[in-house]
């Protein structure tokens, strides 16, 4: 499996960019009641590094959704496998994602969460593949914009493996 991967983002590049994002978020959310919402499973390394780069009080909560249809392309129909532990009404909410591809997952999750009336709702993603977008979703903070590659590592999987790679690479089937 690992012999089919070519490196795209090194550990050092990721670390530097995550520190920058953390500093920016610390500034933007200063004095605000913030809940950081991680979309499982792929987000776990990114969110762990990101919140540790944020010098402020915040809550962390996780949500897990699944797309109907399966495969590597999402259909946009999502159902909730795990919901947030607490309400977000009146609070500033930041969705954290590993990658935004077609945008369908984020579109649905965004709608779900907006219905709960947070004070604000923004999105931070490690990776963005804008060339693949099927629905326009605002993405407020982007780690890296990448070409249309299938990437693995740093949380991103292939058949639920390779999430533990410390870097991001392109998988060549
Ligand atoms: P979207 O709904 O934006 O099309 O898809 C978002 C989800 O699809 C991501 O959270 C991720 O699980 C999966 N995904 C999209 N592109 C890639 C990719 O290049 N590699 C991996 N491993 N997963 C991806």
């Amino acid at each position: 499996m690992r012999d089919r991967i070519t490196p795209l983002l090194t550990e050092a590049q990721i670390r530097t960019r995550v520190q920058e994002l953390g500093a920016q978020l610390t500034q933007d959310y200063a004095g605000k009641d913030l809940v950081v919402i991680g979309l499982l499973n792929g987000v776990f390394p990114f969110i762990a590094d990101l919140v540790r780069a944020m010098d402020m009080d915040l809550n962390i909560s996780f949500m897990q959704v699944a797309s109907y249809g399966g495969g590597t392309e999402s259909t946009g129909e999502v159902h909730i496998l795990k919901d947030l532990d607490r309400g977000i009404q009146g609070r500033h909410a930041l969705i954290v994602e590993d990658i935004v591809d077609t945008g369908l997952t984020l579109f649905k999750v965004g709608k779900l969460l907006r219905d709960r009336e947070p004070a604000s709702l923004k999105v931070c993603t490690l990776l963005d593949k804008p060339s693949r977008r099927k629905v326009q979703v605002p993405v407020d903070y982007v780690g890296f914009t990448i070409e249309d590659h299938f990437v693995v590592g740093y949380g991103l999987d292939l058949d639920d493996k390779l999430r533990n790679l410390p870097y991001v690479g392109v998988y060549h089937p």
Side-chain angles (χ1 to χ4, degrees):
M1 239 177 178
R2 291 180 179 222
D3 55 353
R4 293 182 174 275
I5 301 168
T6 51
L8 183 67
L9 301 167
T10 65
E11 287 185 69
Q13 282 175 303
I14 296 169
R15 198 180 314 119
T16 302
R17 186 68 188 118
V18 172
Q19 290 300 319
E20 288 171 0
L21 284 173
Q24 182 69 54
L25 290 165
T26 303
Q27 252 184 36
D28 295 356
Y29 285 101
K32 292 187 171 153
D33 177 23
L34 175 65
V35 54
V36 177
I37 299 171
L39 295 192
L40 294 171
N41 288 322
V43 82
F44 74 92
F46 177 45
I47 200 168
D49 290 340
L50 185 69
V51 294
R52 284 181 293 174
M54 295 174 70
D55 187 16
M56 61 180 290
D57 291 338
L58 51 81
N59 289 138
I60 304 165
S61 199
F62 292 97
M63 192 165 185
Q64 187 174 16
V65 298
S67 300
Y68 290 110
T72 53
E73 301 217 355
S74 63
T75 58
E77 290 301 314
V78 298
H79 62 125
I80 300 176
L81 297 179
K82 184 212 174 300
D83 205 344
L84 303 177
D85 312 322
R86 291 201 274 164
I88 56 169
Q89 189 174 27
R91 310 189 64 200
H92 294 275
L94 177 70
I95 302 174
V96 182
E97 255 277 43
D98 50 0
I99 186 165
V100 182
D101 186 29
T102 63
L104 289 166
T105 305
L106 205 52
F107 182 78
K108 296 280 176 179
V109 171
K111 185 173 168 354
L112 253 159
L113 295 182
R114 262 193 308 278
D115 286 348
R116 301 180 187 181
E117 302 178 334
S120 70
L121 184 65
K122 288 192 173 180
V123 176
C124 175
T125 185
L126 176 72
L127 304 175
D128 188 13
K129 275 200 272 190
S131 61
R132 296 251 312 158
R133 209 68 101 244
K134 288 187 181 159
V135 282
Q136 284 316 310
V137 278
V139 183
D140 305 276
Y141 302 90
V142 175
F144 301 91
T145 300
I146 62 169
E147 303 289 313
D148 181 12
H149 301 301
F150 186 78
V151 288
V152 293
Y154 197 66
L156 290 145
D157 75 307
L158 175 69
D159 295 335
D160 214 25
K161 294 193 181 72
L162 300 173
R163 293 191 198 275
N164 57 319
L165 282 184
Y167 60 91
V168 173
V170 177
Y171 187 80
H172 305 277

